[in-house]
Amino acid sequence: MKKRRLVIRTLILVVLGVAVAYSLYANLTKDNKQKVAVGDTAPDFALVDMQGNKHRLSEYRGQGVFLNFWGTWCPPCKKEMPYINNQYLQYKDKGVQVLSVDIQEPELAVNQFAERLGLDFPIMIDTEKEVMNVYGIDLLPATFLVDKNGKVVKYYTGELTENKVKDFMEQIKP
């Protein structure tokens, strides 16, 4: 009888130990990034561009915003930048703005990259990855389409073609 009780107590302790270990593991390894979902209001942020101008997302209400996260070291980012620039020039007077956010790179590298590619849209650097973390970005390039009401209408990761950039800008044109 004592042996049976000892076995049952041991099993209960083992089950409890496994449950506690799993809970600790799950809580310590979970992804704390909150992904911004389609239909959500785009989280507001303010960053300064390469010319020293401050851009606050909420100040673009009434316009569509093509919000692109990228890095100079990223080959797909480099390839899509001229497409984004071409379409920016076509859509900037039609109520669509581009906000381009480089992730944590030196200003010199970003300036050289922008000059080499002849980019005309505002480029900001997220030096502390704050905006990246708020938006839950894992992979670059990442693009959010924000409509005139500040709502996210699309989230896309991966390289963009010129036709896709044009299609995206059409989707957020007011």
Side-chain angles (χ1 to χ4, degrees):
M1 190 71 156
K2 284 185 174 184
K3 191 172 187 179
R4 184 175 169 193
R5 193 179 328 167
L6 181 63
V7 169
I8 291 173
R9 285 180 178 171
T10 304
L11 283 173
I12 290 172
L13 284 173
V14 168
V15 169
L16 285 173
V18 168
V20 168
Y22 175 76
S23 294
L24 287 172
Y25 172 78
N27 283 320
L28 293 175
T29 61
K30 74 178 179 181
D31 186 2
N32 291 325
K33 290 184 181 179
Q34 177 63 43
K35 294 262 188 216
V36 175
V38 170
D40 289 352
T41 297
D44 198 19
F45 65 88
L47 291 172
V48 176
D49 70 18
M50 306 308 284
Q51 283 70 46
N53 302 311
K54 185 176 182 179
H55 296 268
R56 179 174 296 283
L57 181 62
S58 58
E59 292 175 356
Y60 288 90
R61 287 277 165 93
Q63 302 178 69
V65 176
F66 185 97
L67 178 58
N68 182 256
F69 294 86
W70 60 282
T72 62
W73 50 266
C74 162
C77 302
K78 184 176 181 180
K79 191 170 180 188
E80 73 185 12
M81 284 295 164
Y83 306 146
I84 295 170
N85 197 66
N86 291 344
Q87 295 308 312
Y88 167 70
L89 296 174
Q90 299 299 314
Y91 282 87
K92 68 179 182 173
D93 295 327
K94 298 176 183 177
V96 176
Q97 298 302 317
V98 170
L99 293 181
S100 175
V101 181
D102 173 85
I103 305 301
Q104 211 176 25
E105 292 188 278
E107 194 171 318
L108 178 63
V110 176
N111 269 328
Q112 288 175 340
F113 180 87
E115 286 174 17
R116 191 168 51 251
L117 295 177
L119 304 177
D120 298 302
F121 48 78
I123 298 173
M124 296 147 284
I125 301 174
D126 186 6
T127 56
E128 301 299 320
K129 292 187 177 181
E130 291 171 357
V131 179
M132 178 183 169
N133 288 332
V134 167
Y135 277 79
I137 307 290
D138 290 322
L139 302 172
L140 297 179
T143 303
F144 287 86
L145 303 183
V146 181
D147 71 10
K148 65 181 181 178
N149 300 313
K151 298 284 187 194
V152 174
V153 296
K154 187 164 193 72
Y155 171 59
Y156 184 86
T157 55
E159 183 179 316
L160 296 168
T161 64
E162 187 141 16
N163 285 335
K164 193 171 290 279
V165 173
K166 182 176 182 178
D167 177 54
F168 284 178
M169 290 197 180
E170 277 294 324
Q171 289 180 40
I172 54 174
K173 185 171 73 170

